Amino acid sequence: MDSRNPVAVLVVDDEEPIRNALKRFLTGEQFTVHTAGSGPEALGVLRQHDVALMLSDIRMPGMSGVDLVPQALEVAPDLAIVMLTAVNDATTAALCMQRGAMDYLTKPLELADLGRAVQQALRRRASQVESRQLDVHLKEEFADRAADWERERAQVHRVTVATLEALVNAMEARDPYLRGHSARVADLAATIAAHLGLSDDEVEQVRLSGRLHDIGKIGTREGVMNKQGPLTPDEYDHVKQHVIIGSQILAPLEHLGPVLGAVRSHHERWDGAGYPDGLRGAEIPITARIIGAAEVYDALSTTRPYQNKLSTDQAVRRMRDLVETVLDPKVFAALAEVVTRRRSLVFLEGGEGP
Ligand SMILES: [Fe+2]
């Protein structure tokens, strides 16, 4: 980064301690940091300063983050926007993405995740700005068209994904035990992927796969999905269909690429006894192995109809018994480190969050 011309970031949150904590972190990352305590204040900052990225809370008194997004883009069309949201508010976050935000992160927030998401959003913004500058220089009709097409494609991609995520969140919201499940799995899986040394792009694929992995449950019958007791073999077969239905829903969206494999294979097992294809070991896409492990952890560490939630240590201990049957040993080791580390970290937790 050019120290003579540091990148400017705007933090918008109505809670001062969160603003200050984010400012401290981002200043340490060599950004110039502006802060605003409300939407209107944020718009004022954007009018006065050349800001590259805005990090904004969703729930604020007066103008909410959802309303701020389009107005901010009107003032600063090249602005990269990342939303911060409580886990049970993921539907609103998806709405912000439909309105032009690039990404969202759920609170409590791990600072390493935040740093990565900020860099990723800035990179995406740089390539958007570049493609527009290319437009200016190459006046030929062809270049204009290609850039338009590229922008449109990116827009369609974002809206499609945001709509699908909204669908998943709406489905989970109906079931108190599932609420926020996919958003939590996505964040944990992305942290594991980063810990395993996957590239930034792959980490983002893992996060997206996590958010969409259970989309096929839209096809699961109500009575089976909410059933309190054990499932009959027929019902279990029916539940298993969700991985196939999910990959069928996503199949026409070619731009989702590896996400499809992750959705289809997240219930495969390391020993080959999983479904739907009985893949074994490294045949299972790494994204699917990570999502599968994160999903098991999430099920153990949240309250379910048939179990009280386990502590971090209890959940890790329970999962250790599944290594080499259900779980990839390498993925399990990364998960154990990540969740143990998470526990000892200071999180930024919003006042409204659970
Ligand atoms: Fe699943």
Side-chain angles (χ1 to χ4, degrees), residues 181 213-215 217 239 242-243 263 266-267 275 291 295:
H181 165 73
H213 74 282
D214 272 343
I215 192 163
K217 289 205 172 149
V239 168
H242 80 276
V243 295
V263 171
H266 75 272
H267 285 286
Y275 62 86
I291 304 286
E295 179 154 60

Side-chain angles (χ1 to χ4, degrees), residues 266-281:
H266 75 272
H267 285 286
E268 297 291 0
R269 291 168 44 129
W270 186 250
D271 61 7
Y275 62 86
D277 302 306
L279 301 180
R280 135 194 339 254

Side-chain angles (χ1 to χ4, degrees), residues 45-202:
V45 174
L46 292 174
R47 282 191 200 98
Q48 273 175 12
H49 301 277
D50 191 11
V51 174
L53 179 132
M54 177 171 85
L55 209 54
S56 174
D57 189 19
I58 293 188
R59 268 198 233 173
M60 295 181 286
M63 186 190 293
S64 77
V66 182
D67 296 325
L68 174 59
V69 168
Q71 296 192 42
L73 287 171
E74 216 163 276
V75 178
D78 286 331
L79 187 67
I81 304 179
V82 176
M83 307 305 293
L84 302 177
T85 173
V87 127
N88 49 15
D89 223 11
T91 311
T92 325
L95 185 61
C96 291
M97 286 183 71
Q98 285 173 316
R99 294 183 168 198
M102 268 186 187
D103 202 358
Y104 66 89
L105 291 170
T106 48
K107 299 176 193 174
L109 199 60
E110 191 172 332
L111 291 175
D113 263 350
L114 174 67
R116 212 167 27 245
V118 165
Q119 295 297 352
Q120 168 92 5
L122 286 171
R123 267 199 304 278
R124 261 190 263 170
R125 170 187 185 261
S127 73
Q128 269 176 23
V129 172
E130 215 170 84
S131 88
R132 225 211 0 275
Q133 280 164 351
L134 204 74
D135 272 7
V136 177
H137 290 129
L138 306 173
K139 284 279 184 222
E140 286 95 335
E141 183 88 338
F142 176 75
D144 276 355
R145 291 256 171 97
D148 276 354
W149 185 74
E150 187 50 45
R151 252 199 310 277
E152 229 161 81
R153 219 175 62 108
Q155 166 80 359
V156 168
H157 172 74
R158 204 178 55 224
V159 171
T160 316
V161 168
T163 309
L164 294 172
E165 285 181 27
L167 220 58
V168 171
N169 292 322
M171 173 182 72
E172 289 180 349
R174 290 196 325 231
D175 179 343
Y177 298 108
L178 270 187
R179 201 166 292 155
H181 165 73
S182 294
R184 281 193 305 270
V185 166
D187 283 353
L188 175 56
T191 312
I192 295 171
H195 193 80
L196 286 169
L198 270 60
S199 72
D200 282 0
D201 279 349
E202 287 168 318

Side-chain angles (χ1 to χ4, degrees), residues 265-340:
S265 303
H266 75 272
H267 285 286
E268 297 291 0
R269 291 168 44 129
W270 186 250
D271 61 7
Y275 62 86
D277 302 306
L279 301 180
R280 135 194 339 254
E283 290 171 353
I284 310 164
I286 180 72
T287 320
R289 277 179 265 156
I290 296 173
I291 304 286
E295 179 154 60
V296 173
Y297 180 80
D298 190 67
L300 293 173
S301 60
T302 50
T303 304
R304 295 289 164 107
Y306 42 85
Q307 125 203 322
N308 289 325
K309 74 178 196 179
L310 302 184
S311 70
T312 305
D313 287 341
Q314 289 169 323
V316 167
R317 227 174 298 135
R318 185 79 63 86
M319 286 181 75
R320 186 165 290 129
D321 296 338
L322 304 175
V323 170
E324 282 187 9
T325 48
V326 177
L327 301 171
D328 174 349
K330 238 177 29 200
V331 171
F332 166 74
L335 177 140
E337 270 186 54
V338 164
V339 295
T340 313

Side-chain angles (χ1 to χ4, degrees), residues 339-352:
V339 295
T340 313
R341 189 186 65 193
R342 274 188 163 196
R343 197 184 38 182
S344 58
L345 277 180
V346 179
F347 285 115
L348 295 171
E349 185 131 26
E352 79 273 15

Side-chain angles (χ1 to χ4, degrees), residues 245-262:
I245 296 171
S247 50
Q248 282 167 347
I249 290 174
L250 301 178
L253 306 171
E254 282 163 28
H255 56 267
L256 286 183
V259 171
L260 262 106

